[in-house]
Structures are given as structure tokens and as C-alpha cells.
Amino acid sequence: MITLLDYGAGNVRSVMNAVKKLGADLKLVTRPEDILDAEKLIFPGVGNYVTMIQILHQKGYIEPLREYLGADRPFFGICLGMQALFEGSEEDASGLESLGFFKGKVNRFDTGLAVPHIGWNGVNIKQDSPVLQGVGPDTKFYFVHSYHIVPQDPEVILTTTTYDYEFASAVQKGNVMGTQFHPEKSGEAGMKLLDAFIHTRNLHSQGPADIRGKGLSKRIIACLDVRSNDRGDLVVTKGDQYDVREKGDVRNLGKPVELAGRYYREGADEITFLNITGFRDFPLKDMPMIRVLEQTSEHVFVPLTIGGGIRDYTDSKGKTYTALDVASQYFRSGADKISIGSDAVHIAMEYIRTGKKTGKTSIEEISRVYGNQAVVISIDPKRVWVKSPGDAPGHHVVKTDIPGPDKEGFCWFQCTVQGGRRAMDLDAVSLAAACEELGAGEILLNCIDRDGTNSGFDLELVNAVRGHVTIPVIASSGAGCEEHFSQVFKKTSAEAALAAGIFHRQEVPIRAVKNHLAENKIEVRL
Ligand code: 1PR
């Protein structure tokens, strides 16, 4: 029997699904007494540290947790659930006490690399623990965080990980352990680790170890554009420069849950669902994407992103739903990140115009509650060619090697809303930079000109945006062969690359992309 401490924020459904899949019974903590009654306790923390500590205090969980830990009973803290074991975090100015089981603090990454640290990274093993059976130099786990622990006592470090510098990525003392990475999002490797925690009687480590792991991988993301076709079936579709109709019908490339399952088995590092008509429908109305997420997260143990229609909404009866309500519903259903498209453009334009943060926009509210790593901005830009930078005042203009129809040598990347239907007076670079300031954690950079063309990623676009943000950028649109992926990783600093058509049509398997990247000395999770 596993007891799960769910304090009500973030995606705990994946942990629940993983535990169930591993054959254990599950009980949720609903009262402080449930903590002391637990046989084995898992504490998955996602989101914002301050919110977590406040809730632990409000619910009266701090003292029973301290008693449980003090008695060396089996405990597994994931991400924030591990950070809570320390004495406090730089993220927390509230002054509320943390669990303080381990001496040391939680600090923000101090690096020139992208923060949050997102993706699959290796671990250097420091203790011979039964939970790490089978973990080796090639094993990778999924990380998503901006803060990391700094334990005072090196003996409690179970693993370290290198991201610019080496930081402690897991701790263990007796039966109490925690990982910064998410085993429930780390595919087979993560499931093995959870299995060992659940099914091993004596978790104590057998002494020191010294195994070195590899570095952060470039991520390969499979994207599923989802909408209802004219018969009302929810299908995965795919556009050519955003036009998803062929001879009048919406292209149908398969069923969302089945395809997501296939991509998981084939080695996708993440899966993204975009509800492409979400801008005009209210996503909670008949909740089709919620069922897709619930069903997918039962058997897919890599991160899931959902986009489309995340904005404030008033229904016909005058009831208002905030973007945070919509996002919360998605997180509860199994999403790890939400992606905001059209709303982000409106928010950024207003922010750039006034220079003021209201604290009330979808980006600010969702990142405050769930952490900025949970907020992705999906950008749908189109090229606008100009003869000289002066022809596009107020926009980021780049010199281009792809001349325009009248041999123009410069261009800017114009943002659009409503699935590319409406062009706005904002460029993609300004949008990305404004959204980062407002609290976004990642950029999904599509490209209408390249979408569905198989002609390769728009490297100039990726470089322009990546050069103006410090958060990770996912290059999207145009992948046609393995070489396009090595090209985007060699010629830009994109952290991830996303593709749709070539995977749906089974033209290029995900494994072939990864093997090609590995042959080209680009770090990937194989
Ligand atoms: O504006 O917050 O409701 O979000 C709507 C979301 O739906 C946005 O993320 C927007 O990008 C997406 N979207 C809207 N219309 C379309 C369309 O295609 N008609 N799809 C659309 C965006 C782009 C990628 C595609 C890549 C890779 N599609 O998702 O997967 O271009 O394709 P490829 O590898 O085949 O070239 P909101």
C-alpha cells in the first residue's frame, strides 16, 4: 500500500497511474493522521515552492511528516517533495518553516544556460542504493526545475547531475529518499526506480558508489494537432502551412490516445497535444481533450503538454472561467505543461504598450500557481520580407539568406492568432521576450511558412528568438528528414525539436532521428 501526499497542485495523476501500473494499492492523504498510518509515503511536489509549504502548514501536515521522517520510515519525495526535506528555499520569501529533515538549502540555478533546466539528463551515482538497481551511465531521467538542493552533508547525496555545474539530483538517508527528477515522467528508467521503492523491503544503501552518467539530451517531441472532423470525431490532423483540409475534409491521421501511445513506445521524449480549434471553442465545454489526457497518462510516462483555448472565458449564462481554471483542469487530468497561443499575443501586446505587469494574466497566474516550467508559449509566426530594417519600425528585423518575392534581403517574423488566421502587429522575438518576463518557462516556436512542407526548420527564426530569451526554445515546423534535426541542433541553440507530419505518416521513425543525432555526436536519450 502506497500513500500519496497530494496537496492539490500540479500533475499527481501521473504518479498515481505509475503506482497503479506497478501493481501497488494507493491511498491519498486526506487528514494529517493518514501520514503516520502510511506504510510507504510518496510526496510528489510540482509547481511553486511557497504554495506547497503554505498548504503543508494549513493542512497540519508538517508535524506528522517530521515524526514520520524522524522514525526512518519509507519516504520518496519527488521534485518539490524532495526540496521540502531541506531547511528552506531561495524561492520562498514567506519565512514559513520547511521540513528541515536534511541540512542545507534550495538555490536557484546560477548559470548562463537556459533556466528552467528541462529535459532528460544523466545521473552520477554516489551511493549503492537498491532503488538504483539497473541505473547505469546511459540512463537518463526527466528534469524540470529552476532550483536545486545544496545539501550540507555530502553523505546524503545519492546522485548528482551536471547542468553547467554538478548539483545534487537525488538524496537518500536510510529509508528517506528524494529525487529532483520525475521518475513518473522518465519512461522505463523511472518506472524501474519507482518499482524498486515500492517493492524493496530494506531500502538502505550498501555504501558509496562512483558511476558517471551522461549530460542533458536534446529533446525530440512528437506533436499531435487535434480537432473534431466534420463528423464530430476527435482526430489527429495535420496542416500544410496550417491548412488542415484536403478536398474539403479535415485530414485524419489517427486517434490521439493511440498515436500518443505509439510515440511513447517509439521513444518520444515528450508529447504535445494542440487543440487547434480551442481558440473558438471553450475547452471545458465537452471536455474532449480532458479525456484524451486522462487516457494517455494511464500508459504514457513522459511529459505531456496541452495547448489550445487556454484563456479566460465567459459562457452563455454569464459564468466566468479563468485561464487558471482551464489549466488546473488540464493539470489534474494528466498534463505537465500547458501551452498558450493567441492569449499570449494579446497579453504581450498590452504588456509592451503599458510596461506594467498586472499579475492577472493567464501567463502570470498559471506560472505563479504551477511554476513557470509549466507554462509554454506557442508562437505561430509568418515571415514578412522588407528591403531594409527601417521598413519595419518597432520590430526585430533580421538579415535573411532566403530572399523575399522581390529579392528583399531582410525580414521579421509576424505573430498571428487564431491558428494563423489573424496577423498582429507584433514580432515573434518581442513576444517571446515579453512572455519570459511575465513568467513563461518555455517557447514552442512554430513557423507557418515551414509547417507541413518537409523543407527543414527555419533556422533564422530559431536563432532570432533563442538569442533574446534565456528559457528553452522548442524548434517546430518543417522537419522532413533526420538531417533537419542535426541541422537545427548544430546551427541553433534550440533545446528541443518538434515534428508532426513525418511521424504521423511513418516517413521517419523517432528512433531513426535519435540514432542519426547520436551518430552526429549530439546528446540524445536512446
Ligand atoms: O491560440 O491558445 O487557442 O492555441 C491554439 C494552438 O493550436 C496553438 O498552439 C497553435 O500553434 C495551434 N494551431 C492552431 N491552428 C493550427 C493549424 O495547424 N491549423 N497548429 C495549429 C499548429 C503547428 C505545429 C505542427 C508543427 C510541426 N501546428 O503544431 O505540429 O508545425 O508540423 P510538421 O512537422 O508537420 O511541419 P490557442
Side-chain angles (χ1 to χ4, degrees), residues 489-502:
F489 291 133
K490 282 184 178 163
K491 298 197 169 161
T492 80
S493 312
E495 279 76 9
L498 172 150
I502 52 167

Side-chain angles (χ1 to χ4, degrees), residues 223-225 237-244 272 274-280 307-311 339-344 378-380 417-421 444 446-448 450-454 457 476-480 498-502 504-505:
C223 183
L224 288 77
D225 290 355
T237 189
K238 184 69 216 50
D240 282 333
Q241 300 184 313
Y242 283 38
D243 180 2
V244 298
T272 294
L274 296 176
N275 174 5
I276 65 168
T277 51
F279 69 88
R280 62 171 185 239
I310 296 178
R311 61 189 158 90
S339 125
I340 307 177
S342 305
D343 200 33
S378 170
I379 309 184
D380 301 312
V417 293
Q418 300 173 358
R421 287 167 183 78
L444 164 52
N446 303 299
C447 172
I448 297 182
R450 298 294 175 104
D451 176 56
T453 62
N454 290 10
F457 298 96
S476 163
S477 306
L498 172 150
I502 52 167
H504 301 336
R505 295 186 298 267

Side-chain angles (χ1 to χ4, degrees), residues 421-485:
R421 287 167 183 78
R422 210 173 125 209
M424 307 295 281
D425 189 23
L426 179 69
D427 66 81
V429 174
S430 305
L431 172 65
C435 291
E436 173 173 9
E437 284 176 33
L438 289 165
E442 201 171 22
I443 302 292
L444 164 52
L445 187 55
N446 303 299
C447 172
I448 297 182
D449 308 288
R450 298 294 175 104
D451 176 56
T453 62
N454 290 10
S455 59
F457 298 96
D458 188 330
L459 306 177
E460 292 175 348
L461 167 65
V462 178
N463 277 325
V465 171
R466 187 64 191 80
H468 285 84
V469 293
T470 66
I471 53 179
V473 170
I474 303 164
S476 163
S477 306
C481 58
E482 292 92 326
E483 287 74 19
H484 289 153
F485 291 87

Side-chain angles (χ1 to χ4, degrees), residues 143-211:
F143 289 80
V144 50
H145 60 128
S146 302
Y147 294 79
H148 63 81
I149 52 166
V150 185
Q152 240 175 50
D153 176 5
E155 300 220 325
V156 304
I157 297 175
L158 176 59
T159 67
T160 62
T161 289
T162 305
Y163 186 58
D164 195 6
Y165 52 87
E166 205 170 323
F167 68 92
S169 53
V171 278
Q172 182 172 0
K173 186 176 168 199
N175 286 314
V176 176
M177 59 171 298
T179 59
Q180 182 59 66
F181 50 85
H182 288 264
E184 78 285 9
K185 288 284 145 194
S186 299
E188 285 298 310
M191 292 298 270
K192 267 196 202 144
L193 195 151
L194 278 174
D195 192 42
F197 174 77
I198 291 170
H199 294 114
T200 308
R201 199 167 258 280
N202 179 5
L203 294 165
H204 286 225
S205 43
Q206 307 300 304
D210 188 14
I211 298 174

Side-chain angles (χ1 to χ4, degrees), residues 129-413:
S129 167
V131 292
L132 296 183
Q133 287 306 311
V135 176
D138 292 321
T139 309
K140 296 208 167 181
F141 294 102
Y142 188 81
F143 289 80
V144 50
H145 60 128
S146 302
Y147 294 79
H148 63 81
I149 52 166
V150 185
Q152 240 175 50
D153 176 5
E155 300 220 325
V156 304
I157 297 175
L158 176 59
T159 67
T160 62
T161 289
T162 305
Y163 186 58
D164 195 6
Y165 52 87
E166 205 170 323
F167 68 92
S169 53
V171 278
Q172 182 172 0
K173 186 176 168 199
N175 286 314
V176 176
M177 59 171 298
T179 59
Q180 182 59 66
F181 50 85
H182 288 264
E184 78 285 9
K185 288 284 145 194
S186 299
E188 285 298 310
M191 292 298 270
K192 267 196 202 144
L193 195 151
L194 278 174
D195 192 42
F197 174 77
I198 291 170
H199 294 114
T200 308
R201 199 167 258 280
N202 179 5
L203 294 165
H204 286 225
S205 43
Q206 307 300 304
D210 188 14
I211 298 174
R212 290 205 73 78
K214 297 209 168 119
L216 183 70
S217 292
K218 296 290 186 182
R219 285 170 282 152
I220 303 301
I221 302 176
C223 183
L224 288 77
D225 290 355
V226 179
R227 61 163 287 171
S228 294
N229 64 13
D230 299 327
R231 282 180 293 283
D233 307 321
L234 199 66
V235 298
V236 175
T237 189
K238 184 69 216 50
D240 282 333
Q241 300 184 313
Y242 283 38
D243 180 2
V244 298
R245 287 187 183 267
E246 193 168 73
K247 297 190 190 122
D249 285 337
V250 173
R251 271 193 206 97
N252 179 352
L253 292 161
K255 294 186 179 152
V257 179
E258 275 173 26
L259 265 190
R262 187 177 102 202
Y263 295 144
Y264 172 59
R265 292 189 296 279
E266 290 178 358
D269 294 319
E270 287 184 29
I271 291 168
T272 294
F273 294 103
L274 296 176
N275 174 5
I276 65 168
T277 51
F279 69 88
R280 62 171 185 239
D281 311 327
F282 176 50
L284 298 185
K285 192 165 146 239
D286 59 1
M287 306 208 252
M289 296 309 287
I290 287 168
R291 279 188 295 279
V292 166
L293 282 171
E294 284 172 352
Q295 289 169 10
T296 303
S297 63
E298 273 172 27
H299 56 104
V300 171
F301 297 102
V302 294
L304 304 176
T305 302
I306 173 90
I310 296 178
R311 61 189 158 90
D312 297 344
Y313 179 85
T314 305
D315 70 14
S316 52
K317 296 190 188 93
K319 184 166 166 36
T320 299
Y321 302 82
T322 65
L324 181 62
D325 294 332
V326 180
S328 300
Q329 186 70 40
Y330 281 143
F331 289 126
R332 274 195 295 276
S333 309
D336 301 285
K337 313 187 222 181
I338 54 88
S339 125
I340 307 177
S342 305
D343 200 33
V345 176
H346 302 303
I347 292 167
M349 287 179 82
E350 188 61 11
Y351 173 55
I352 292 166
R353 191 181 69 77
T354 62
K356 289 204 181 84
K357 294 183 186 172
T358 63
K360 296 200 169 108
T361 64
S362 54
I363 301 173
E364 291 161 283
E365 288 209 313
I366 300 169
S367 63
R368 187 165 51 242
V369 178
Y370 292 98
N372 57 359
Q373 82 293 332
V375 179
V376 182
I377 304 300
S378 170
I379 309 184
D380 301 312
K382 260 185 197 163
R383 266 175 188 247
V384 180
W385 276 275
V386 285
K387 288 231 181 306
S388 78
D391 294 342
H395 295 308
H396 280 268
V397 175
V398 299
K399 197 165 176 335
T400 177
D401 290 335
I402 308 159
D406 290 324
K407 304 210 170 28
E408 297 95 331
F410 294 87
C411 76
W412 62 285
F413 301 98

